[in-house]
Amino acid sequence: MQQHDSHSKFWSGDVGPFFMNSSFVPRQQEGPHCVSTVLSMLTGQAPEVIRPGINTQDPVSCSDYLCGRGMKLAFCPTDCRRLRHYLDDLLALDDLFTLSYYSPTDAEAICADPNEKGWVCGSHIVLLHRDQILDPASGTRTAALAHHGMNRFTKRILRLVPSNHAWGL
């Protein structure tokens, strides 16, 4: 397992962990609302209260929502590798992340031309807290390395940081 570089320019200053001692309760999403359900797990607010105030494809709107609750999102350097290729690096940080990945396991489906409505493919978001994944699709907590999404391609990785942290959206 690769060790975290505490001298990294991306995570200079206070590198955390920030939410190691926090606890989060899994919640099952209703309908196609994984983003608002993940935000609900982070804040305790009902997903239906969160939904009108966020754009699910805009991490800045999600971070703005979280800022009023003591945390915000920070982009992590990422690429489109499958989750299994970098999970050990995130586990070494022993903290709190959102992991978004594409639903297809075929790279060609992800990079396909959109249909007439602009749709290419679906995606999903989960919470990684320390070594556990909280998945809104099932409403369960699973050991991260046993999560069924390990073979999915990454859409984005966001780290949760305190709202007053220098890094973040």
Side-chain angles (χ1 to χ4, degrees):
M1 180 172 11
Q2 183 179 6
Q3 293 296 323
H4 172 67
D5 177 6
S6 63
H7 301 293
S8 166
K9 291 182 181 183
F10 186 80
W11 289 113
S12 60
D14 187 4
V15 298
F18 305 109
F19 298 99
M20 184 182 211
N21 297 319
S22 298
S23 62
F24 303 96
V25 178
R27 180 183 288 225
Q28 188 167 13
Q29 70 192 54
E30 293 179 17
H33 301 292
C34 55
V35 174
S36 60
T37 305
V38 162
L39 293 173
S40 172
M41 287 189 272
L42 289 168
T43 65
Q45 290 266 287
E48 55 274 9
V49 171
I50 298 168
R51 269 194 289 280
I54 62 163
N55 175 341
T56 61
Q57 296 304 310
D58 178 13
V60 173
S61 74
C62 296
S63 189
D64 287 346
Y65 168 78
L66 291 169
C67 268
R69 288 141 187 94
M71 58 182 77
K72 64 182 175 180
L73 298 171
F75 274 114
C76 291
T78 187
D79 57 39
C80 65
R81 291 181 295 164
R82 295 178 193 269
L83 187 60
R84 70 176 186 257
H85 294 294
Y86 61 81
L87 190 60
D88 283 343
D89 295 333
L90 298 179
L91 292 173
L93 291 169
D94 200 24
D95 208 9
L96 181 62
F97 298 85
T98 65
L99 308 177
S100 298
Y101 50 81
Y102 293 102
S103 299
T105 55
D106 175 19
E108 289 183 26
I110 296 166
C111 296
D113 286 331
N115 68 17
E116 63 281 349
K117 294 182 179 183
W119 178 257
V120 177
C121 68
S123 61
H124 187 55
I125 184 173
V126 298
L127 277 182
L128 170 64
H129 184 234
R130 305 195 67 195
D131 64 348
Q132 301 287 303
I133 287 185
L134 287 73
D135 189 342
S138 61
T140 60
R141 177 187 317 269
T142 307
L145 294 172
H147 180 61
H148 66 85
M150 288 298 107
N151 205 35
R152 306 289 179 172
F153 289 100
T154 303
K155 182 175 181 179
R156 67 178 69 98
I157 307 166
L158 297 160
R159 186 172 185 187
L160 279 290
V161 296
S163 57
N164 62 353
H165 194 274
W167 290 97
L169 304 175

